[in-house]
């Protein structure tokens, strides 16, 4: 068993690392070499592709736009999720089942089907009340906040359910209101989970493709995923340039997780989900 | 409607415009200034919407960027910005922009039905509205909005597109064939392919990942069975896609597979992979759209070199009813019906369609012209001139490639290669008809 | 009530009101530019007679079966890694793919799994030519390959979750079983599996969001539905019909059928749990 386990661990790690390293290797290849020997490990190593990708499409601008959109969007989704998740887990909310179905139900409709109805509604609001969430970064943040609040709610519902009841009951007995109990006891305890929820939200919203394209119709702001998609035009697909561009766009998320890894490790993944 | 803030994407693009201005001055000097009378000098800001302009440093993006710089240098009151979207999502991005009032003033579209859902957002026009361009440009049929009224179009055709077959001369020689004698008939074509196969050389390139090569091959045979008028009838539904002529034009492509001419790893290849394989001498013949980036222009600078390849039109089938060579616009350019600056938008389109604009697109991006007076000798390679030779000898009819709706075309690209491999072309064409009609 | 109100309001405005529109569009032809036109059940009738659509439903169901791998693999790995010295390092490495958007994972594996890519070349180098496959271009292999790629991408998160669950298990519990002479297999199946049930439920929830109802970004990055229609899923077909070619009525109808499929899968799950008479996984 001992050696068997070691072999499994080594194989699993290699299987995970290899494709990542391969993308990096491809990004460092010259185009000509990629065409003639796509599977070669040796050969030239060049950083030119990164510079070319950066210059070809405004990746810097797209990354900035994506951050401007997803950070408020993640904050909103987390805010909604913490409140609703806490209430559904710990408070006597009427029609709990119905609320849960409402929270989960939206997840069964693919975003691809909802982008145009969402866009139509935004235009209709613009034309009837003169205020709209179309074509602005804050508008897209709102949409992302709502779309990703569903799973956020389930995430925090699951977290708060595992919070020992006696902690909260003590506060109740002291005569604190529901709001006071939440703010003074539950919320401080949940801070690490909130950090994790925020990070995962940024990641999920960062990865979204279609809403980012359709809900920003002037093209003044472009999300990182749209920029990557624009990168492969009708007549250009794959290759070292695309590999370099994807690495550039993936970097901010890597950095984010690095910053948040303390909470990721010790809290959510370190024992807060209990049997 | 286009209050572009000096921040964000447009600002980054503007900065790039400035750094490249010297290039524009250089080009203006070599190409010569077009004359614009003072009274109708265009002015104001316009935005150019399309997918080719995502990357302004290469491909068509470079050509448009250079053309825009020449145009603005000649018209100091004008500023041109670019708005790019992913090619695959062009239709939805264009329609949502149109409804939000943010669609660019100039809109790039593929010819024919591909981008038909966008037509409603554009100012309908006629060739006559464009003065001399009505007769100077070929391919106006690519912009027809409704087949019942072939004179009303959604935009101006710019650039020439046709499928040409390329062959590697060295590989022909290696198989004991005359490298200067390109196949003209189907019998000559199969004889050459068989000889190549016997010499251990893959005769024909195919790409199962995207089906582009099979699609282009198919398009290259269509003019042997359809006149330009009949192509419009396909589009209006008078000729359904299960018409025997559609099958007849697809049959040669299926025959090539059946005879074992395709590269054996076709299923895992995209067309760009196979163009690379052609350059590297791994496959002898490949059908190609003459505006694809890895086309004659790119090939001239490759391992292949301008003398390394020859071109021929689709070999003539025994049951062919005409000798045409499909040759339609690469792209059409419409004016947004809601544009606040339509005159400047039109002036820019006129510039692009003129000798100067098309010369720039030819020199920078290798885009073949759709007007006869562009100087190929100065701006293009021997390869381009050989293409012109094919066009001259086969007749550069305005026949448009297969006229499918966007839905049917999506279906075709998804399933064409599989249909050819399975041999069940009738079911495939029936499925296409269901999409075309839906 | 105040706690839930903001969520309910925002969901109603930004998710459920558009869903209402979508339901209406499903009974129209609509191209996004001209107003929708009522066509009754035409879209559904077209879907009923469309072989590609049945294929998409089949593909979706097959890919959904991947859940067995996506849950089972990290569970087993977590158990194996549990308590070992290098556990933290291994978990950190396995988690790396979780940082990559599905679209980018797809692009990466297009390079790795290409016909002349490193995997196939390595197999050929080892003399295992027969094993080299056009992984993403073969009708037979494409769905198992997609399931494997998704397993690659999600494995690390699953391992972290299960490891957390294992860490919180009382060791007395396990030792008692060992004293009773339980073999490793029995330990895994009779002790760890039921004890980690809550983790499995939570992990299934995360997987559902990331994959089962949104295969789209995976398919877009990996195969674009190919070869032919061999890997077109329901939500990818929604993208093709609705976004790429602007037939929004048809796309809406497909989405509604998709909801039905998800509902059926959920009911099957419930029935299975009833039949087995327990809440275990």
């Amino acid at each position: 068993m001992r050696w068997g386990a070691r072999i499994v661990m080594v194989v699993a790690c290699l299987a995970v690392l290899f494709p990542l390293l391969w993308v990096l290797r491809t990004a460092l290849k010259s185009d000509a070499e990629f065409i003639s020997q796509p599977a070669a490990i040796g050969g030239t190593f060049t950083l030119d592709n990164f510079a070319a990708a950066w210059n070809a499409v405004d990746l810097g601008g797209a990354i900035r736009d994506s951050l401007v959109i997803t950070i408020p969007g993640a904050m909103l989704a987390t805010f909604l999720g913490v409140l609703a998740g806490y209430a559904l887990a710990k408070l006597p909310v009427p029609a709990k089942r119905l609320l849960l179905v409402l929270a989960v139900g939206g997840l069964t409709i693919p975003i691809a089907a909802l982008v145009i109805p969402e866009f139509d509604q935004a235009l209709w609001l613009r034309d009837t009340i003169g205020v709209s969430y179309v074509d602005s970064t804050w508008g897209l943040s709102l949409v992302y906040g709502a779309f990703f609040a569903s799973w956020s709610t389930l995430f925090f519902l699951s977290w708060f359910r595992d919070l020992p009841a006696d902690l909260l009951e003590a506060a109740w007995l002291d005569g604190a209101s529901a709001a006071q109990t939440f703010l003074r006891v539950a919320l401080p305890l949940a801070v690490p989970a909130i950090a994790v929820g925020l990070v995962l939200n940024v990641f999920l919203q960062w990865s979204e493709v279609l809403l980012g394209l359709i809900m920003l119709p002037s093209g003044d702001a472009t999300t990182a995923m749209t920029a990557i998609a624009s990168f492969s035009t009708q007549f250009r697909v794959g290759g070292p340039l695309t590999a370099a561009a994807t690495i550039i766009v993936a970097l901010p998320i890597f950095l984010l997780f690095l910053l948040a890894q303390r909470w990721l490790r010790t809290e959510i993944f370190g024992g807060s989900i209990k049997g | 409607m286009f209050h572009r803030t000096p921040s964000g994407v447009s600002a980054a693009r503007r900065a790039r415009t400035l750094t490249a201005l010297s290039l524009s001055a250089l080009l203006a000097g070599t190409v010569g200034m077009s004359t614009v009378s003072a009274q109708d000098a265009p002015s104001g800001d316009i935005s150019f919407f399309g997918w080719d302009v995502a990357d302004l440093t290469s491909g068509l993006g470079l050509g448009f960027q250079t053309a825009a710089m020449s145009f603005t240098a000649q018209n100091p009151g004008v500023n041109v910005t670019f708005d790019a979207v992913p090619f695959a999502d062009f239709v939805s991005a264009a329609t949502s922009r149109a409804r939000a009032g943010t669609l660019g003033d100039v809109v790039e579209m593929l010819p024919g039905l591909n981008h038909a859902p966008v037509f409603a957002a554009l100012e309908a026009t006629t060739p006559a509205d464009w003065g001399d361009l009505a007769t100077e440009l070929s391919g106006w049929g690519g912009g027809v909005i409704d087949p019942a009224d072939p004179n009303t179009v959604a935009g101006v055709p710019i650039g020439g597109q046709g499928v040409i077959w390329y062959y590697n001369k060295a590989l022909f020689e290696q198989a004991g064939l005359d490298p200067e004698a390109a196949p003209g008939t189907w019998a000559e074509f199969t004889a050459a392919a068989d000889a190549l196969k016997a010499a251990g050389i893959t005769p024909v390139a195919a790409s199962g990942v995207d089906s582009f090569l099979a699609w282009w091959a198919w398009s290259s045979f269509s003019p042997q069975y359809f006149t330009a008028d009949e192509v419009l009838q396909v589009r209006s539904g008078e000729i359904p896609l299960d018409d025997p002529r559609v099958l007849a034009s697809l049959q040669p492509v299926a025959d090539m597979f059946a005879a074992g001419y395709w590269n054996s790893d076709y299923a895992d290849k995209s067309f760009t992979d196979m163009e690379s394989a052609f350059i590297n001498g791994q496959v002898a013949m490949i059908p190609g759209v003459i505006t694809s980036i890895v086309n004659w222009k790119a090939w001239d600078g490759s391992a292949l070199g301008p003398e390394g390849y020859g071109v021929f039109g689709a070999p003539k089938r025994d049951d062919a009813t005409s000798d045409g060579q499909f040759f339609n616009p690469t792209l059409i350019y419409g004016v947004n019906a809601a544009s606040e600056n339509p005159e400047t938008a039109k002036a820019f389109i006129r510039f692009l369609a003129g000798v100067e604009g098309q010369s720039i697109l030819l020199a920078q991006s290798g885009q073949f012209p759709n007007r006869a007076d562009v100087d190929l000798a100065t701006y293009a390679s021997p390869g381009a001139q050989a293409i012109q030779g094919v066009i001259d000898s086969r007749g550069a009819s305005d026949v448009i490639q297969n006229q499918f709706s966007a839905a049917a075309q999506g279906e075709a690209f998804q399933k064409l290669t599989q249909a050819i491999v399975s041999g069940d072309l009738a079911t495939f064409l029936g499925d296409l008809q269901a999409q075309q009609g839906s | 009530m105040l706690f839930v109100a903001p969520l309910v309001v925002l969901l109603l405005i930004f998710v459920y009101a558009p869903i209402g529109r979508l339901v209406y569009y499903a009974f129209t032809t609509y191209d996004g530019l001209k107003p929708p036109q009522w066509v009754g059940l035409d879209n559904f009738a077209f879907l009923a007679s469309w072989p590609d659509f049945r294929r998409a439903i089949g593909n979706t169901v097959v890919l959904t079966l991947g859940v067995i791998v996506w849950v089972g693999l990290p569970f087993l790995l977590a158990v194996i890694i549990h308590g070992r010295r290098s556990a933290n390092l291994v978990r950190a490495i396995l988690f790396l793919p979780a940082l990559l958007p599905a679209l980018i994972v797809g692009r990466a594996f297009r390079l790795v799994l290409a016909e002349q890519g490193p995997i196939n070349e390595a197999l050929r180098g080892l003399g295992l030519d027969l094993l080299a496959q056009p992984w993403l271009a073969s009708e037979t292999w494409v769905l198992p390959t997609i399931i494997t790629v998704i397993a690659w991408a999600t494995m690390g998160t699953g391992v972290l979750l299960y490891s957390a669950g294992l860490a919180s298990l009382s060791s007395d519990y396990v030792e008692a079983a060992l004293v009773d002479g339980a073999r490793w297999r029995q330990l895994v199946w009779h002790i760890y599996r039921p004890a980690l049930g809550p983790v499995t439920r939570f992990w299934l929830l995360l997987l559902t969001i990331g994959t089962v109802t949104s295969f789209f970004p995976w398919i877009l990055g990996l195969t674009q539905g190919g070869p032919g229609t061999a890997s077109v899923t329901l939500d990818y077909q929604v993208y093709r019909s609705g976004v790429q070619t602007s037939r929004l009525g048809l796309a809406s109808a497909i989405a509604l059928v998709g909801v039905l499929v998800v509902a059926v899968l959920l009911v099957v799950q419930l029935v299975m749990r009833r039949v087995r008479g327990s809440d275990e996984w």
Side-chain angles (χ1 to χ4, degrees), chain B residues 287-314:
Chain B
V289 172
I290 55 180
T291 43
S292 156
I293 54 153
V294 190
N295 58 13
W296 53 268
K297 180 174 184 283
W299 293 1
D300 289 348
S302 73
L304 203 56
E307 310 297 333
Y309 64 94
V311 297
F312 58 96

Side-chain angles (χ1 to χ4, degrees), chain B residues 77-101:
Chain B
V78 178
N79 183 34
V80 180
T81 54
F82 293 98
D83 178 19
V85 290
F87 174 68
D89 306 317
F90 174 80
V91 170
S92 59
T95 48
S96 53
R97 275 163 162 74
R99 302 222 355 252

Side-chain angles (χ1 to χ4, degrees), chain B residues 88-89 91-92 95 98-99 117-121 208-209 265 267-269 406-407 410-411 414-415 418 431 434-435 438, chain C residues 30-34 46 50 52 110 114-116 134 137 139 224-229 232 239-240 243-247:
Chain B
D89 306 317
V91 170
S92 59
T95 48
R99 302 222 355 252
V118 183
F119 289 173
V209 168
D265 55 359
D268 196 48
K269 294 296 179 189
E411 184 88 347
Q414 194 80 43
K415 289 157 89 173
Q418 300 289 304
D431 288 355
Q435 292 292 326
S438 72
Chain C
Y30 178 40
D31 67 1
L33 209 49
K34 297 184 280 291
F46 178 77
W50 191 20
D52 288 1
R110 281 211 68 84
E115 171 73 31
Q116 261 108 42
E139 295 234 6
Q224 313 206 337
T229 52
V232 172
Y239 167 73
R240 276 185 63 200
V243 178
Q244 284 195 321
T245 58
S246 275
R247 286 177 302 163

